[in-house]
Amino acid sequence: MSAGLRVEKVGPLATVQDLGRPGWFDSGVGVAGAADRGSLRLANRLVGNPEGAAGIEVLLGGLEVVAERHLTVAVTGAAAPATVDGRPVGAASVLRLEEGQRLRLGWATAGLRSYVAVRGGLAVDAVLGSRSRDTLSGLGPEPLRAGDILPIGAPPREYPVVDVAPVAPPPAGRVTVRAIPGPRADWFADPAALFRGDWSVSSDTDRIGARLDRRTGPALERAISGELPTEGMALGSVQVPPSGQPVVFLADHPITGGYPVIAVVLAADVDAVAQARPGQPLRFLPYY
C-alpha cells in the first residue's frame, strides 16, 4: 500500500466506511458500514474495486482531497456537485486524478450522503475485520480531519470498463419505503396507523437512526403500557419510544433495545432512508 490521498477540508462529517463487520453481535458489536450500501457498492464497481472496499462517506458535502499520485476515483450517492481543479465533473462517473489535482464536493442538493471510492481502496487499519467507523461504539478509524493522509491499497487486476453509471440522484420529494409488520406491532392500538399519512425526517437523525415526526395522519397509540425487556434490534427496525416518534435504525444502530418495534424496513429500502434529509417527507408502504 502507499499514500495517495491527502485530506484538505472536511464538511460536517466524513468517515471511512466499507460494508461493515458482521458476525460480532455476540460480543456486543454491531455491523456498522456504509449507511447507503448501494452507493458505496456502485462507487467501488466504477473504479474496479471489490464492492466491499473501503471508501469515504461524506455527510452533505464540503470534502476536499488532493491526489498525491495518479488515482482513479468515483463519486456516488447524494447529488453533491463535484469539481476537479474547479472543473465540474459528472456524478457516478470514473475520474482520473493526476498528482496535485484537487477533488472537491459541494453541498448536496438532494440526498444526504456521498461516497468517494479510490481504485485500490482505502488501506487504513482494520478493526475486527472492517475499516468502517462505528459512530455509536467508537470502533474503527477516527472521522477524517484536514491534514490526514489516506493510504491506498494495491489496485485490482481488472480495470473499470465504463465511464459513467446512469443512476438517478436521491429523490428531493417524498421518500417511499416498504416495511413489514414488526415483532411488537401488537403493542399498538392501530399498528396500521404507521402506514397512513406521511412522516417527516427530523433534524435529530444520524448514522444510528432517522427519527421521524408525524406530518399527516394519526398518532401511534400504545395498546400495552410499560416497556419490554431488552431484545435484539435489526437494521431497518422501526422502534417507537414513549414520545411516539418512530426511529428507523440505520448502520450504527444499537444491537439491542427495549422499545417496541412496530415494523421493519426492507433491507433494499434502508439506503433510501439513509439518504433522506431533515424535513423531507417519508411514507411507509406495507409489504406482506
Side-chain angles (χ1 to χ4, degrees):
M1 69 180 178
S2 62
L5 203 60
R6 183 174 74 251
V7 179
E8 293 284 298
K9 293 182 181 180
V10 176
L13 180 68
T15 57
V16 176
Q17 298 292 341
D18 54 22
L19 292 180
R21 49 180 67 83
W24 294 95
F25 271 28
D26 59 350
S27 299
V29 177
V31 175
D36 178 352
R37 295 159 297 171
S39 289
L40 176 64
R41 289 187 173 109
L42 174 60
N44 276 319
R45 290 201 304 271
L46 285 169
V47 297
N49 287 341
E51 289 187 344
I56 304 174
E57 180 181 279
V58 184
L59 180 65
L60 285 175
L63 179 75
E64 290 188 24
V65 292
V66 174
E68 296 199 323
R69 59 179 175 84
H70 173 81
L71 295 174
T72 301
V73 304
V75 181
T76 59
T83 62
V84 173
D85 287 349
R87 174 177 57 85
V89 293
S93 58
V94 179
L95 309 174
R96 293 172 176 84
L97 305 180
E98 301 302 329
E99 182 178 352
Q101 286 195 302
R102 180 183 305 262
L103 170 67
R104 182 181 186 278
L105 298 189
W107 301 107
T109 57
L112 199 58
R113 296 174 170 93
S114 299
Y115 293 84
V116 180
V118 184
R119 183 169 169 78
L122 302 183
V124 300
D125 292 338
V127 178
L128 300 180
S130 171
R131 295 182 167 95
S132 64
R133 174 66 175 182
D134 186 330
T135 59
L136 180 63
S137 68
L139 284 176
E142 292 294 323
L144 299 186
R145 298 175 298 180
D148 285 347
I149 304 294
L150 299 177
I152 308 300
R157 292 183 179 180
E158 297 296 325
Y159 204 79
V161 294
V162 298
D163 293 323
V164 62
V167 295
R174 178 198 288 158
V175 176
T176 301
V177 298
R178 296 165 295 173
I180 60 175
R184 303 299 178 184
D186 59 348
W187 273 55
F188 297 88
D190 181 12
L194 179 76
F195 302 99
R196 294 201 293 273
D198 284 350
W199 298 88
S200 179
V201 179
S202 165
S203 59
D204 184 13
T205 184
D206 54 22
R207 283 181 45 85
I208 297 169
R211 188 177 299 277
L212 306 177
D213 298 321
R214 178 53 96 177
R215 191 182 184 101
T216 61
L220 295 177
E221 297 181 0
R222 289 275 193 96
I224 300 176
S225 60
E227 299 304 336
L228 291 160
T230 297
E231 56 187 6
M233 291 290 146
L235 179 71
S237 293
V238 184
Q239 190 186 65
V240 185
S243 67
Q245 293 176 277
V247 179
V248 183
F249 278 155
L250 300 178
D252 291 352
H253 69 87
I255 64 173
T256 61
Y259 297 137
V261 173
I262 190 173
V264 180
V265 174
L266 267 62
D269 291 356
V270 170
D271 290 352
V273 181
Q275 288 290 4
R277 299 162 69 97
Q280 195 165 0
L282 182 146
R283 175 168 290 185
F284 294 100
L285 287 182
Y287 186 86
Y288 300 102

